[in-house]
Amino acid sequence: MDINKLPTIPAGPVGYLRRPAHTPVDQPAPNPLCTLFGIRYPIVQAGMIWCSGWRLAAAVSSAGGLGLIGAGSMYPEVLREHIRKCKAATDRPFGVNIPLLYADLDKHVGIVLEEEVPIVFTSAGNPALLTPRLKAAGRTVVHVVSSVKFARKAQEAGVDAVVAEGFEAGGHNGREETTTLVLVPLVRDAVQVPVIAAGGIADGRTVLACMVLGADGVQVGSRFVCSAESSAHPAFKEAVTRVEEGGTMLTLKELAPVRLMRNAFFQEVQAAYARGAGVDELKQVLGRARAKRGMFEGDLDQGELEIGQVSAAIRNVLPAERIVQGLVDEFHTAAARIGLNGRSLMAPWQHPGPDQRLPK
Amino acid sequence: MDINKLPTIPAGPVGYLRRPAHTPVDQPAPNPLCTLFGIRYPIVQAGMIWCSGWRLAAAVSSAGGLGLIGAGSMYPEVLREHIRKCKAATDRPFGVNIPLLYADLDKHVGIVLEEEVPIVFTSAGNPALLTPRLKAAGRTVVHVVSSVKFARKAQEAGVDAVVAEGFEAGGHNGREETTTLVLVPLVRDAVQVPVIAAGGIADGRTVLACMVLGADGVQVGSRFVCSAESSAHPAFKEAVTRVEEGGTMLTLKELAPVRLMRNAFFQEVQAAYARGAGVDELKQVLGRARAKRGMFEGDLDQGELEIGQVSAAIRNVLPAERIVQGLVDEFHTAAARIGLNGRSLMAPWQHPGPDQRLPK
C-alpha cells in the first residue's frame, strides 16, 4: 500500500496537521518548521559548544535538516570564520545558536547580522533581550525554553518558534527538571508558534513520539556529537558511545544546572556537595575552561563533559548525513507501523475474545 | 473513513504489532497486555500507597483497565479486606502491588495467594525474591523497573511483563534518573516480555507516544490520585490539581529517591541538604508516617506528598471510569491524526515547494 495515496482528513488544531488556508484539501499540509526554515526534514541539529562548528552545521543542512553553529564556545572572529565556511560548504539554510549569557553577546549578534545568517536560535536567557532586534533585521528567531512560562515569554517577545527542551538533554538545562514527555504537551497547549522537541531524541521512533506529543519537529544534540563532522575530541565521542544508563547527571544546580557525564571531575563536584559546599566553593571546583578541556581537548578525567541522557542509546560515530537519513528512515518505519494500518492501532484497545471474568 | 476497514500489514517485531501465530492475517493482533491480563484496554492504574484501595482498583477494572490495590500502606489484614471488597465490587481482573522492601512482605504474599489474586505487581526490590513463588502458584507477575539492568533481571526471574518507570514518576524512583522517553526504547530493545510505560502519562496522546516508543501499554498514577474513588485526602487531591511546573522534585536520594510535591516538609529536607546533613540526619528529618500524614490525612505542610511531574497537567478530579475513557478517547484522536492519513504523516518530511537556497 502506498501511504501517499491514502485520502487526507481536514486540518486539526495540532502541530503536524496544521494546514495553511491556501493548501488544497487533497494536499498534505507542509510541516510548519520545513516552511519556516526552508528545509526538507524538521530535524534541527542543536548548536552545542565545542561540538558544532561549520563542518557539522553544513553537513546537517546539506542532508536536509537544519544545522546550527554553536557560538557559545567561539570568540567573535572565530564565529565569523565558521559562518563564512558554512556558507561556502552548503547552499542550504543554516543557523547560529547564541547563548544569551555570553560575555561577547553584542559582538556575536553584530556578526550574525553582518554575515546575513538567516536563522538564530537563542538560549539560556531572556527571549526579550534579542528577539526584537533580530526580527527587525528580518531574521527567523527561535528560543530554547524548559518551561511553559518561558515558552509564553518567548512567544510574547515575537519568536517564530520555540524549542521545548526536557530534563534529559545534555548541557545547560532548566531548574524545573521537567522531562520532554511532560514538557512538550504542556508547551504545545500553551503557545501558537511551532514547537521543536529537544532532550532524549536519538532515533526516529522518538522523533515520531515527540510529534504525537504535539511537537512540529525535533532538535537533536548528543546523537550529532557522535558524528564524523562534530568538532568534539575523538576521545569524547568514543566516551559518549560507552555511556551506560545513569552515566549522566544534572548537577551544579546552584550555579546553572548542567547535565554531565560522570567522571573524576563530576565526583569532585559530588564531594563538594557532600561537605555542604556553597556557591563560591562550587565555582572554585568548577574553575575555568573545563568544558573545552573535556569536550574539545579530550581530558576525560578533569574536563566537564556535557552530554544528554540518551547517550546510553548511542553506540557509534556516523557521518551526519547518515544520522539525518537514519532518523528519517526510522521515523518512516515507526509511522508506517501505526499509520498504514488503522486496525493494528485499534487492536490494542479491543480485546478480541469475550472479557475474562475473575473466579469468585 | 472507518479506520477499522483499512487493510492490515504483516506483523512487525515491536510491541504493539506483535502478532501471535494463531491470529489470521486480516485480524489485528491482540495487544499482548490485554491478552495477558484479560482486560479491554492496556491501561494499568498504579498501585499507590494511601491512594489506591479497593474502590479505585475496582472502578478502573470495571472500566476496562487494570486496577491495582497498593499494599504498601496496608497492614496485612487491611489488605485482605481490600481484596475481598474489590472482588465483591467488580467481576473483572485486578491486581495487587507489593513493594518488596516492606516489613510485612511475607504476610502480604500469603494473603495474595490465599485470596487468589490473579495478578501481582512487585516493585522496589529484587525481582528474583518473589517471582518464582508467585509463578509457581500460577499468578501473573509484573515487576517495576527503572533501568535496563533491572528489566533484564526481571525477565530472567520469570516475570510476565515489566513496567519501565521514568524519572518523572511520583513516589519512589530509580537512582539513574532515566526519563520515560529515554527508558522505554532502551527497555523495549533489551527484553522480550511486554513493556508497560510509566511516568509522565496523564493523557491519551502520551499513551500513544509511549506505544510509538515501543511500550505495549501504560501505567498511570498521578491522574488516578485525582479520581473520585482514590483514597487520597481531598485536600491532597485538590493540591495536586494546583501543582505548577517545577512543583515536584526528586529528593532524599541518599535514602531512597522519591518524587515529592514542594511543601514546608520538602523545604526542611532541602535545608538539611544545605547544611550537609548525612543519612542519619535525613532519616530524622523524614521521621515516620509522613506519607500517611500528607496523602491520607491531608496535612499539606508537614506531610510527605508523593506525586508525579505530570501533575502540572492535571486540573480536575474525575470519576475513574471517565479517566479511563478519556485516555482511550484521546488515544483514538491522536492515533486518527496519524493513522487515518498517511499523507499527513509524510507531509512533514517532504517540503512541497522547491528547496530554498541561501543567498551567497
Side-chain angles (χ1 to χ4, degrees), chain B residues 95-118:
Chain B
V96 170
N97 180 283
I98 304 182
L100 294 174
L101 300 173
Y102 195 64
D104 280 327
L105 183 61
D106 263 354
K107 288 183 190 159
H108 276 172
V109 176
I111 287 168
V112 159
L113 292 175
E114 284 162 32
E115 299 294 329
E116 309 250 314
V117 175

Side-chain angles (χ1 to χ4, degrees), chain B residues 144-183:
Chain B
V144 182
V145 304
S146 57
S147 69
V148 168
K149 187 180 158 191
F150 267 81
R152 289 208 177 99
K153 269 196 186 184
Q155 181 172 267
E156 281 161 26
V159 300
D160 297 289
V162 293
V163 176
E165 185 177 68
F167 166 84
E168 46 271 79
H172 289 284
N173 209 307
R175 292 186 190 281
E176 298 83 2
E177 305 193 0
T178 310
T179 69
T180 304
L181 194 78
V182 174
L183 181 65

Side-chain angles (χ1 to χ4, degrees), chain B residues 44-119:
Chain B
V44 178
Q45 161 252 313
M48 302 168 287
I49 59 167
W50 301 116
C51 298
S52 56
W54 69 270
R55 272 195 190 85
L56 179 56
V60 171
S61 286
S62 291
L66 180 69
L68 297 183
I69 296 171
S73 52
M74 296 179 181
Y75 290 113
E77 287 310 312
V78 174
L79 174 61
R80 190 191 301 277
E81 195 187 323
H82 276 266
I83 293 169
R84 290 184 176 177
K85 285 184 173 168
C86 197
K87 274 190 190 173
T90 184
D91 57 1
R92 306 294 178 93
F94 68 91
V96 170
N97 180 283
I98 304 182
L100 294 174
L101 300 173
Y102 195 64
D104 280 327
L105 183 61
D106 263 354
K107 288 183 190 159
H108 276 172
V109 176
I111 287 168
V112 159
L113 292 175
E114 284 162 32
E115 299 294 329
E116 309 250 314
V117 175
I119 299 162

Side-chain angles (χ1 to χ4, degrees), chain B residues 18-358:
Chain B
R18 270 185 307 211
R19 181 188 301 282
H22 63 269
T23 311
V25 170
D26 60 347
Q27 287 265 328
N31 178 287
L33 291 173
C34 293
T35 308
L36 180 66
F37 299 134
I39 56 176
R40 183 169 291 269
Y41 309 121
I43 296 174
V44 178
Q45 161 252 313
M48 302 168 287
I49 59 167
W50 301 116
C51 298
S52 56
W54 69 270
R55 272 195 190 85
L56 179 56
V60 171
S61 286
S62 291
L66 180 69
L68 297 183
I69 296 171
S73 52
M74 296 179 181
Y75 290 113
E77 287 310 312
V78 174
L79 174 61
R80 190 191 301 277
E81 195 187 323
H82 276 266
I83 293 169
R84 290 184 176 177
K85 285 184 173 168
C86 197
K87 274 190 190 173
T90 184
D91 57 1
R92 306 294 178 93
F94 68 91
V96 170
N97 180 283
I98 304 182
L100 294 174
L101 300 173
Y102 195 64
D104 280 327
L105 183 61
D106 263 354
K107 288 183 190 159
H108 276 172
V109 176
I111 287 168
V112 159
L113 292 175
E114 284 162 32
E115 299 294 329
E116 309 250 314
V117 175
I119 299 162
V120 182
F121 280 49
T122 58
S123 57
N126 183 350
L129 191 65
L130 282 190
T131 304
R133 186 172 162 203
L134 290 167
K135 287 305 298 173
R139 309 310 155 98
T140 298
V141 182
V142 181
H143 190 65
V144 182
V145 304
S146 57
S147 69
V148 168
K149 187 180 158 191
F150 267 81
R152 289 208 177 99
K153 269 196 186 184
Q155 181 172 267
E156 281 161 26
V159 300
D160 297 289
V162 293
V163 176
E165 185 177 68
F167 166 84
E168 46 271 79
H172 289 284
N173 209 307
R175 292 186 190 281
E176 298 83 2
E177 305 193 0
T178 310
T179 69
T180 304
L181 194 78
V182 174
L183 181 65
V184 170
L186 285 172
V187 170
R188 169 73 291 160
D189 292 348
V191 299
Q192 284 73 53
V193 295
V195 174
I196 303 167
I201 305 161
D203 66 19
R205 60 188 158 175
T206 315
V207 176
L208 178 60
C210 287
M211 292 178 80
V212 169
L213 294 175
D216 298 292
V218 297
Q219 178 172 286
V220 174
S222 302
R223 179 60 270 194
F224 284 114
V225 168
C226 290
S227 67
E229 294 86 351
S230 143
S231 51
H233 192 280
F236 177 48
K237 294 183 193 180
E238 160 73 14
V240 174
T241 66
R242 283 183 283 108
V243 167
E244 300 288 336
E245 324 174 74
T248 72
M249 279 287 148
L250 195 70
T251 188
L252 291 170
K253 298 178 189 182
E254 292 73 10
L255 308 182
V258 63
R259 178 169 297 280
L260 300 180
M261 202 183 291
R262 287 171 180 276
N263 64 353
F265 164 65
F266 175 85
Q267 298 307 338
E268 279 173 38
V269 173
Q270 294 313 99
Y273 277 113
R275 63 179 179 261
V279 168
D280 287 343
E281 191 178 346
L282 288 172
K283 275 185 185 164
Q284 211 167 358
V285 172
L286 177 58
R288 290 181 60 81
R290 284 266 187 192
K292 181 181 185 185
R293 190 165 163 185
M295 300 158 76
F296 194 66
E297 296 171 353
D299 183 342
L300 300 182
D301 281 336
Q302 288 303 313
E304 186 187 6
L305 305 175
E306 300 186 8
I307 200 74
Q309 221 176 49
V310 78
S311 51
I314 298 169
R315 286 296 168 261
N316 51 22
V317 176
L318 294 173
E321 187 189 359
R322 277 198 53 195
I323 294 172
V324 172
Q325 205 52 53
L327 290 169
V328 173
D329 291 347
E330 291 159 8
F331 172 95
H332 280 143
T333 303
R337 282 198 178 120
I338 288 196
L340 267 178
N341 185 353
R343 297 182 77 182
S344 73
L345 249 189
M346 293 305 116
W349 305 89
Q350 300 292 345
H351 192 270
D355 291 343
Q356 289 182 29
R357 291 288 183 272
L358 195 67

